[in-house]
Amino acid sequence: MKPFFQLSALLFCFLLSACCSEKPVVECYDLRCENLTDPLAIDNTQPHVSWKVKALGNQMQRAYRIMVSSDSVALVDGSVGDLWDSGVVESPQSVMIPYQGAALPSPSLVYWKVKIWDNQGNESPWSSVKRFGIGILNEKDWNVDYIGLLSEDSTMVYSPLLRKSFDLDQKTGGPYLLHVNSLGYHEVYINGNKVGEDVLSPAVSQLDKRSLSVTYDVTGYLNSGKNELVFWLGRGWYRKGLFWGHIDDGPFVKARLDVVANGEYRILLATDDSWLGSESEYSGIGNWFPHRFGGERVDARKASLSMDGEALDRKEWKKVTQADIRDIPITPQMCEPNRIRRKFRPEKVTPLTDDVWLVDMGVTLNGWLEFELPEMNAGHEITLEYSDHFNDKGEIADMGQKDIYIASGKPDEIFRNKFNYHSFRYIRISNLPSRPEPENILAYLIYPDFKDASSFECSDPDLNAIHNMIHYTFQCLTLGGYMVDCPHIERMGYGGDGNASTQAIQTLYNVSPVYYNWMQAWNDCLRPEGSLPHTAPAPFSSGGGPYWCAFVIAGSWRTYINYGDDRLIRKYYPMFQRWLKFVDMHKVDGLLKKWPNEEYRNWYLGDWAVPAGVDQTDERSVDLVNNCCISVCYDYMTKIAALLGHADDERRYKTERDHLNHLIHRVFYNEDSQTYGTGTQIDLAYPMLAGVTPESLINKVEDQFERETENRNGHLSTGLVGVPVVTEWAVKNRKAELMYSMLKKRDYPGYLYMIDHDATTTWEHWNGSRSRIHNCYNGIGSWFYEAVGGIRPDENAPGYRHFYISPQVPEGLTWANVSRETPYGTARVNWKADDATVWLDITIPSGSEATVILPENRPGYTLNGEALKSNEIRLSSGAYSVSWTVTPAPQQ
């Protein structure tokens, strides 16, 4: 088999340039363009580049120089970039630096490198040379055909193979780039080898408004002479009945193969009616509506032994069908591809009858199954059903997930999913005559190729277990360039779930590209009157409320704060404004009231998925929660308008917020009970968080929150909206003892209740009904880092250019080790405590500063062994040790 990627002369030069005889004092690493590593096709011609700085000591970047060239070898040789030489720029910035060179055509491929100077006069070596490509952005350059395959009954084949043989007279150095725009999923094979490790490509989009293209470097797969290119397609989301009837059944693909030479793209091959098609062994089960995502039917009698030309020649082939699909923009995919990230073997296999078997993977997951089957007669059919829990009868719950495999009768048969996926822990295999052995079963966890950005461990195993469950749950929710509520029942990018968990997932992972793709889908869903659905993409109607739609503002703002990435707030500011005008249309006497259901959107929720005993339908709570949500939106919009230089908007949104907060307090505050709304936890915390509660009443409302918690037996008693609201309020007001006590509850409702009932991912409802892989309660995830670790971003210096370190040490914890990978590097806080003293070890990445805030009125503050006069100190990059005494100083 050909190597996965052939080492070219260019890469050899890269390796040579990276070698040095001694370790530099400072150097650049983790170079990115648009927060992606070496993207081959981005969606704009004025990109941003970023890098991190590694320093042997406490140095910080003082200046940088960027070179961009159309010729990679020129950069390696030390020549000046022909597209851009920034010169020496005096700046500490290294995140999202805008390209300011010569105009970049579409398509094009360019190369870049960077070097820096630190504040001690040291000059770094040049970084390794990286590359980025401008994708196909002009519609005329996509003037190639969509092709698919019609079946004998004139319907589209669910999963066809589309094939083209072609000759390369003389293969040059290239690179050779293959641009693929599929309506439905695709895989690419060249000369028998699968191109890349991507699966279930492309990412999601609002398919009646936009489709995505993916570009592959196929240089290492091509030969001089004859070559064989195959697209294997799957219908995926592109099917009749979805997206309001604006699309028909697919799949289809259009593609072009280019060779890049001297900066010019030359088309070698494109999809047209000369291609041939053949049915594969895969067909579909289910229609991709909620509860009916089904699975795949695999008839192994139709399978090819391999994807090389000789094996393919044994199949029957016919001319492809061309499709006249127009007026749907094609834009490059701007998020990481889906990949197989982890693999699991079963924990046990249990017989249910002579030919029915229950497989327990020991963990819930979202992805594929691979099963090495025993030898069976040709035509023998087995069924595989998937679920994440048992029903009341002790059987696996019917979640509408099923695969069927029809044996070929040949030895060494293997079933594997390809263009659908399942969320499961349990698999019931029926009509299998012999016991499936655990070593023959493998489950693949699939999610995008983004990076982990955090670590947490402390002295309390319960906290570790809760953190780890949430951390893992996010891996099961992000397949496809968005985040879903649940990947099996609905598979929808609900804004409420996104809003509730944005701070958590953006703390735990680097998901800026995921949010870029997801927010694009939200903008594509915007209605002419400014209304939004509750999910994006929105293939069918969905439930929610204002908090669901407000995700477009909150998610974009937090992406800016957490990653220093302002693209979303700049690009979608008009969407934010139009939606807030729609909100204004549904105010009564200045307060937002219930808006009507629409074809694309229903319900009008406040909180959701609350525990028993809390009435989420009470109109007082619904209206209070939604108006507090709008107040927070006005606060974000005030800041966004100021950042964008819209002074009039800034004043208007501040005025709107002040007026709304006054109304909320006047209408919903009860002086007798000193509570808001229904007096539940969310109804008390949200007004305080939104700035509604006057300073003079804060202590009284806080007391009522604690009383309400006591009335709930010390439990966190909120739902999807309430969990992040209470979390953020508790972090800002240093309520670590209260949060810790709520998290430690082992009975219903609580996270430990889930874990004690065998959960490995969080549930949709506190009692475990419906879904056991869900995004309702993950908003607590940021608390471990912002409270226990004390690492909090500073809105005035986004992307952790400056941040705060102020650990909250609840009684019962004796140590914690916490890290957060920021756009500048790793921030780390390790602390330990005994009865007398707390010791704190801090690492601040190069390029960042941090203000360390210690508990007030404690004697014995020290920094690196030296006494401190204040409990607050601002530190630049480097490693530090801090301590303070536990017992407060006596009052004078």
Side-chain angles (χ1 to χ4, degrees):
M1 180 177 289
K2 287 180 66 65
F4 174 72
F5 188 82
Q6 293 179 335
L7 186 63
S8 66
L10 170 61
L11 287 181
F12 182 69
C13 292
F14 288 178
L15 294 173
L16 287 179
S17 69
C19 298
C20 56
S21 58
E22 63 181 65
K23 190 172 181 64
V25 176
V26 289
E27 59 182 316
C28 303
Y29 72 103
D30 194 14
L31 276 65
R32 286 154 285 129
C33 174
E34 304 292 58
N35 282 326
L36 296 166
T37 301
D38 288 332
L40 291 172
I42 61 172
D43 69 348
N44 68 90
T45 59
Q46 294 184 316
H48 305 79
V49 295
S50 306
W51 61 90
K52 295 174 183 175
V53 175
K54 185 181 297 182
L56 291 181
N58 293 357
Q59 303 96 318
M60 297 183 67
Q61 176 183 301
R62 174 183 59 81
Y64 66 80
R65 184 182 180 189
I66 301 170
M67 281 193 185
V68 183
S69 176
S70 59
D71 184 351
S72 59
V73 177
L75 283 187
V76 174
D77 289 344
S79 303
V80 174
D82 64 328
L83 296 174
W84 184 35
D85 180 356
S86 71
V88 179
V89 178
E90 295 286 337
S91 171
Q93 296 297 322
S94 62
V95 175
M96 301 299 286
I97 305 300
Y99 173 81
Q100 297 178 19
L104 299 174
S106 165
S108 60
L109 188 64
V110 301
Y111 304 85
W112 69 288
K113 64 181 180 179
V114 63
K115 71 186 311 184
I116 68 147
W117 290 261
D118 69 20
N119 56 346
Q120 297 178 11
N122 300 301
E123 178 180 349
S124 80
W126 283 106
S127 69
S128 59
V129 175
K130 308 297 284 185
R131 65 180 176 175
F132 64 85
I134 308 300
I136 301 175
L137 308 183
N138 302 313
E139 184 179 354
K140 64 179 179 61
D141 293 326
W142 271 117
N143 190 27
V144 299
D145 295 328
Y146 278 115
I147 59 174
L149 186 65
L150 275 177
S151 66
E152 293 180 0
D153 60 2
S154 297
T155 61
M156 297 306 301
V157 172
Y158 175 89
S159 181
L161 300 169
L162 307 182
R163 176 189 186 190
K164 180 71 173 181
S165 298
F166 64 100
D167 289 323
L168 279 182
D169 292 338
Q170 183 62 47
K171 182 183 172 186
T172 64
Y176 292 79
L177 300 181
L178 179 65
H179 310 278
V180 182
N181 168 229
S182 64
L183 304 177
Y185 293 127
H186 71 263
E187 291 181 352
V188 181
Y189 294 81
I190 295 180
N191 297 326
N193 299 311
K194 184 177 182 296
V195 175
E197 299 176 2
D198 306 358
V199 298
L200 295 166
S201 285
V204 298
S205 64
Q206 184 68 19
L207 283 168
D208 59 333
K209 298 290 183 65
R210 180 189 310 273
S211 62
L212 303 180
S213 64
V214 181
T215 297
Y216 300 91
D217 186 339
V218 297
T219 309
Y221 298 89
L222 295 170
N223 301 319
S224 294
K226 184 178 180 180
N227 291 270
E228 191 84 43
L229 172 59
V230 177
F231 292 118
W232 197 338
L233 305 183
R235 185 167 294 163
W237 284 103
Y238 201 84
R239 60 183 64 219
K240 190 174 184 178
L242 300 182
F243 298 98
W244 318 107
H246 294 153
I247 62 175
D248 212 329
D249 277 341
F252 301 100
V253 65
K254 67 164 56 178
R256 52 179 265 192
L257 174 62
D258 298 343
V259 60
V260 185
N262 300 318
E264 297 293 327
Y265 279 57
R266 181 166 61 90
I267 300 177
L268 299 177
L269 182 69
T271 48
D272 57 25
D273 64 359
S274 67
W275 287 59
L276 299 176
S278 180
E279 291 190 34
S280 75
E281 64 268 33
Y282 285 78
S283 58
I285 301 171
N287 61 10
W288 283 52
F289 276 83
H291 301 272
R292 290 172 283 173
F293 282 95
E296 295 172 295
R297 183 178 186 272
V298 181
D299 188 343
R301 295 169 297 184
K302 299 180 180 180
S304 299
L305 293 178
S306 71
M307 294 296 288
D308 62 29
E310 184 177 342
L312 293 174
D313 285 341
R314 300 190 188 101
K315 293 181 66 67
E316 293 184 5
W317 297 88
K318 63 181 181 179
K319 290 193 65 173
V320 297
T321 299
Q322 294 169 284
D324 185 17
I325 301 170
R326 305 180 187 180
D327 303 324
I328 303 296
I330 302 168
T331 55
Q333 177 174 309
M334 291 288 287
C335 60
E336 296 95 342
N338 297 314
R339 297 266 173 89
I340 294 171
R341 302 294 302 271
R342 294 179 64 182
K343 301 177 182 180
F344 298 94
R345 293 286 185 190
E347 189 174 86
K348 60 181 177 179
V349 176
T350 304
L352 300 179
T353 67
D354 289 345
D355 63 354
V356 180
W357 313 88
L358 181 68
V359 178
D360 180 358
M361 299 305 304
V363 62
T364 43
L365 68 123
N366 184 46
W368 286 350
L369 184 75
E370 182 176 286
F371 182 15
E372 297 180 27
L373 293 152
E375 191 166 342
M376 297 179 289
N377 294 329
H380 186 90
E381 184 175 305
I382 68 168
T383 301
L384 303 99
E385 299 165 279
Y386 304 81
S387 186
D388 62 13
H389 68 284
F390 293 103
N391 60 25
D392 293 339
K393 298 179 181 179
E395 302 170 340
I396 65 168
D398 182 2
M399 308 191 81
Q401 303 181 98
K402 180 173 72 172
D403 294 319
I404 295 173
Y405 184 86
I406 302 172
S408 67
K410 299 173 184 176
D412 302 323
E413 295 195 64
I414 297 177
F415 164 80
R416 188 183 189 187
N417 292 116
K418 183 170 287 289
F419 294 125
N420 203 339
Y421 53 97
H422 303 297
S423 304
F424 63 99
R425 172 171 174 169
Y426 305 103
I427 312 142
R428 182 168 59 203
I429 306 175
S430 301
N431 201 30
L432 185 68
S434 60
R435 175 188 175 88
E437 297 301 328
E439 61 268 23
N440 293 333
I441 298 173
L442 196 58
Y444 296 107
L445 174 66
I446 298 173
Y447 62 97
D449 197 28
F450 53 66
K451 294 180 181 178
D452 201 326
S454 63
S455 65
F456 175 90
E457 187 179 17
C458 72
S459 58
D460 187 337
D462 287 340
L463 279 194
N464 294 337
I466 296 170
H467 167 271
N468 294 344
M469 178 173 64
I470 291 167
H471 184 274
Y472 174 68
T473 299
F474 282 130
Q475 297 176 9
C476 296
L477 297 174
T478 46
L479 188 157
Y482 67 150
M483 184 163 51
V484 298
D485 60 330
C486 56
H488 38 13
I489 297 176
E490 293 182 78
R491 220 174 265 187
M492 298 284 279
Y494 276 96
D497 304 58
N499 203 349
S501 57
T502 285
Q503 188 59 25
I505 193 172
Q506 290 191 352
T507 298
L508 272 61
Y509 295 95
N510 287 328
V511 288
S512 173
V514 170
Y515 273 67
Y516 188 92
N517 184 71
W518 197 6
M519 211 57 67
Q520 178 174 258
W522 279 96
N523 190 59
D524 287 341
C525 289
L526 183 68
R527 301 286 167 147
E529 74 279 9
S531 178
L532 285 165
H534 293 139
T535 70
F540 37 73
S541 183
S542 56
Y547 185 83
W548 278 243
C549 307
F551 169 64
V552 298
I553 299 174
S556 300
W557 174 249
R558 290 187 184 274
T559 299
Y560 170 63
I561 297 303
N562 288 319
Y563 302 119
D565 184 350
D566 65 359
R567 292 175 297 166
L568 299 183
I569 58 176
R570 293 186 181 278
K571 187 172 185 178
Y572 299 123
Y573 184 70
M575 172 174 60
F576 309 160
Q577 292 184 298
R578 289 176 62 188
W579 181 70
L580 286 175
K581 287 181 179 178
F582 173 80
V583 168
D584 286 341
M585 293 166 53
H586 295 279
K587 287 181 178 177
V588 177
D589 297 328
L591 290 170
L592 177 61
K593 298 292 288 184
K594 183 177 180 179
W595 54 45
N597 289 338
E598 302 286 354
E599 177 191 26
Y600 55 90
R601 185 196 65 224
N602 53 64
W603 298 359
Y604 186 82
L605 299 176
D607 205 355
W608 168 247
V610 298
V614 178
D615 184 3
Q616 67 191 24
T617 66
D618 191 302
E619 187 177 351
R620 294 170 297 167
S621 179
V622 172
D623 286 346
L624 173 62
V625 166
N626 288 329
N627 280 280
C628 285
C629 170
I630 300 305
S631 172
V632 171
C633 287
Y634 285 147
D635 182 40
Y636 291 156
M637 287 296 282
T638 301
K639 298 169 183 175
I640 294 170
L643 181 73
L644 301 182
H646 302 314
D648 290 343
D649 289 349
E650 178 188 358
R651 287 189 292 270
R652 184 174 78 255
Y653 289 123
K654 184 182 185 305
T655 300
E656 291 273 12
R657 178 177 181 251
D658 291 344
H659 178 63
L660 180 59
N661 281 359
H662 173 75
L663 286 176
I664 294 171
H665 180 70
R666 191 186 74 191
V667 172
F668 295 102
Y669 183 69
N670 185 316
E671 290 187 7
D672 293 336
S673 63
Q674 299 173 343
T675 62
Y676 288 90
T678 62
T680 54
Q681 288 177 347
I682 187 173
D683 287 3
L684 296 169
Y686 217 168
M688 290 190 286
L689 182 64
V692 169
T693 310
E695 190 66 31
S696 60
L697 296 177
I698 288 289
N699 289 339
K700 294 179 180 179
V701 178
E702 285 184 348
D703 288 345
Q704 294 304 319
F705 184 97
E706 296 197 14
R707 287 193 180 94
E708 168 65 7
T709 303
E710 291 173 3
N711 293 336
R712 303 287 176 183
N713 296 318
H715 284 270
L716 179 61
S717 297
T718 63
L720 178 149
V721 181
V723 167
V725 167
V726 172
T727 298
E728 186 175 355
W729 168 77
V731 168
K732 290 182 175 179
N733 293 278
R734 302 189 67 82
K735 301 292 184 180
E737 295 286 355
L738 178 62
M739 288 296 291
Y740 184 48
S741 67
M742 290 193 289
L743 291 175
K744 288 288 288 182
K745 297 295 180 182
R746 304 207 81 91
D747 55 335
Y748 170 88
Y751 296 94
L752 293 178
Y753 177 82
M754 297 183 196
I755 291 170
D756 289 345
H757 286 77
D758 222 15
T760 59
T761 49
T762 55
W763 299 344
E764 178 177 11
H765 294 279
W766 291 111
N767 63 6
S769 63
R770 221 170 81 110
S771 165
R772 299 288 178 95
I773 307 176
H774 218 91
N775 201 14
C776 272
Y777 308 124
N778 297 311
I780 192 71
S782 57
W783 181 82
F784 299 91
Y785 297 86
E786 296 183 349
V788 179
I791 303 172
R792 293 186 291 114
D794 178 1
E795 288 189 351
N796 296 312
Y800 291 80
R801 178 73 182 84
H802 172 266
F803 59 96
Y804 297 98
I805 296 176
S806 184
Q808 301 173 33
V809 183
E811 186 176 353
L813 285 189
T814 58
W815 60 267
N817 296 331
V818 182
S819 73
R820 168 75 169 89
E821 186 65 22
T822 79
Y824 293 91
T826 306
R828 194 178 307 277
V829 173
N830 297 342
W831 61 260
K832 60 181 180 179
D834 60 21
D835 293 339
T837 307
V838 178
W839 294 270
L840 184 64
D841 290 329
I842 297 168
T843 301
I844 302 168
S846 182
S848 292
E849 294 182 320
T851 296
V852 181
I853 304 174
L854 308 178
E856 294 181 353
N857 193 33
R858 304 294 172 93
Y861 300 125
T862 69
L863 172 66
N864 294 340
E866 301 292 330
L868 284 172
K869 295 181 180 180
S870 171
N871 70 312
E872 186 171 321
I873 184 171
R874 186 166 180 135
L875 301 171
S876 60
S877 61
Y880 304 90
S881 294
V882 179
S883 67
W884 68 90
T885 57
V886 172
T887 306
Q891 297 293 321
Q892 299 296 320

